[in-house]
């Protein structure tokens, strides 16, 4: 199993995005996580394809992982693919044909992934497991950074790991040195961290420590 740490650009300084994208790349993190919010599916508005394109321009070798918190992500898949997304995550709760959306992401040459909100049960994604490369369990209510980790999501992570032992399982929301280990024990292997990393002048040591501690804790209860 591969363990990855992804800084979330939502926690960056929006007055110095290029600088913070480079800072995240220099940390040794595995990918940049870009949260796209439409102010309809979630109660916030973040950014669009232009910021994905900026991240590609600034750090072309830094993998771009795009999370579409949108009511109709299917209407924007080509735009984000053209901007440089390499993984696209869509919500199982979105108002679109999930099977078709995942197929279109793969047809665009990208990794398709599904997201579950905190209240959504694990079995909501079971019909799609053969069609996606990754699952994201939201461990906060999506929309704003800096929220506290919802520990009640841990049994859902464990249920997904039992059902999909080879699939990448990501957590996003309230991730720090302590909560990431809890998620790893439940079966997560990818960890999105925003405020925890971007508040540091040098996030490199924290990225390395987070990856190592999660690998050591994986499925060890």
């Amino acid at each position: 199993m591969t363990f990855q740490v992804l800084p979330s650009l939502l926690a960056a300084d929006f007055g110095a995005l290029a600088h913070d994208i480079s800072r995240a790349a220099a940390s040794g993190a595995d990918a940049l996580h870009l949260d796209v919010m439409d102010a309809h599916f979630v109660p916030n508005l973040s950014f669009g394809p232009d910021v994905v394109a900026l991240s590609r321009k600034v750090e072309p070798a830094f993998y771009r992982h795009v999370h579409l918190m949108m009511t109709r992500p299917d209407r924007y898949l080509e735009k984000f693919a053209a901007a440089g997304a390499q993984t696209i995550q869509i919500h199982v709760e979105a108002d679109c044909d999930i099977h078709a959306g995942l197929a279109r992401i793969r047809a665009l040459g990208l990794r398709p992934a599904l997201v579950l909100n905190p209240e959504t049960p694990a079995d909501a994604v079971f019909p799609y497991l053969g069609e996606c490369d990754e699952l994201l369990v939201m461990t906060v209510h999506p929309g704003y950074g800096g929220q506290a980790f919802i520990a009640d999501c841990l049994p859902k992570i464990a249920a997904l790991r039992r059902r999909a032992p080879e699939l990448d399982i990501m957590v996003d929301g309230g991730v720090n040195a302590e909560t990431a280990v809890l998620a790893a024990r439940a079966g997560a292997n990818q960890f999105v961290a925003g405020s925890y990393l971007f508040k540091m002048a040098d996030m490199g040591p924290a990225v390395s420590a987070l990856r190592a501690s999660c690998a050591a804790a994986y499925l060890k209860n």
Side-chain angles (χ1 to χ4, degrees):
M1 185 63 66
T2 300
F3 297 88
Q4 296 188 334
V5 177
L6 300 85
S8 172
L9 195 64
L10 192 64
D13 179 352
F14 274 48
L17 274 183
H19 170 75
D20 269 2
I21 290 166
S22 292
R23 198 159 66 89
S27 74
D30 300 281
L32 184 66
H33 189 78
L34 298 108
D35 287 310
V36 177
M37 305 179 188
D38 66 356
H40 186 266
F41 185 75
V42 295
N44 195 7
L45 185 66
S46 60
F47 47 75
D50 285 350
V51 171
V52 178
L54 173 68
S55 68
R56 178 176 60 183
K57 179 181 179 181
V58 172
E59 295 288 346
F62 197 26
Y63 192 93
R64 294 168 296 278
H65 198 286
V66 177
H67 174 191
L68 298 183
M69 300 184 218
M70 308 176 77
T71 301
R72 292 297 306 271
D74 55 315
R75 295 176 175 172
Y76 298 91
L77 299 177
E78 284 79 8
K79 288 182 174 63
F80 281 100
Q86 292 168 283
T87 291
I88 291 182
Q89 299 174 324
I90 62 174
H91 276 256
V92 71
E93 307 92 355
D95 186 17
C96 66
D97 184 327
I98 301 300
H99 291 292
L102 293 171
R104 282 175 63 197
I105 293 168
R106 194 177 298 281
L108 289 165
L110 314 181
R111 293 184 82 232
L114 269 183
V115 188
L116 301 86
N117 280 337
E119 297 84 0
T120 303
D123 59 11
V125 299
F126 288 176
Y128 310 104
L129 292 180
E131 301 165 44
C132 59
D133 294 338
E134 178 183 285
L135 298 171
L136 168 57
V137 176
M138 292 301 301
T139 45
V140 298
H141 295 100
Y144 293 93
Q147 299 182 62
F149 183 88
I150 300 173
D152 287 348
C153 295
L154 293 171
K156 179 162 58 178
I157 297 168
L160 291 169
R161 178 55 70 203
R162 289 192 296 269
R163 185 71 178 232
E166 303 302 321
L167 210 60
D168 285 323
I169 297 179
M170 178 178 291
V171 291
D172 182 4
V175 171
N176 57 37
E178 292 75 33
T179 58
V181 166
L182 297 177
R185 287 174 181 162
N189 67 297
Q190 296 177 317
F191 308 87
V192 177
S195 303
Y196 174 69
L197 292 178
F198 276 99
K199 69 183 180 184
M200 300 177 180
D202 179 6
M203 66 178 78
V207 166
S208 297
L210 202 63
R211 189 187 294 114
S213 62
C214 289
Y218 182 68
L219 293 180
K220 292 180 180 177
N221 291 304

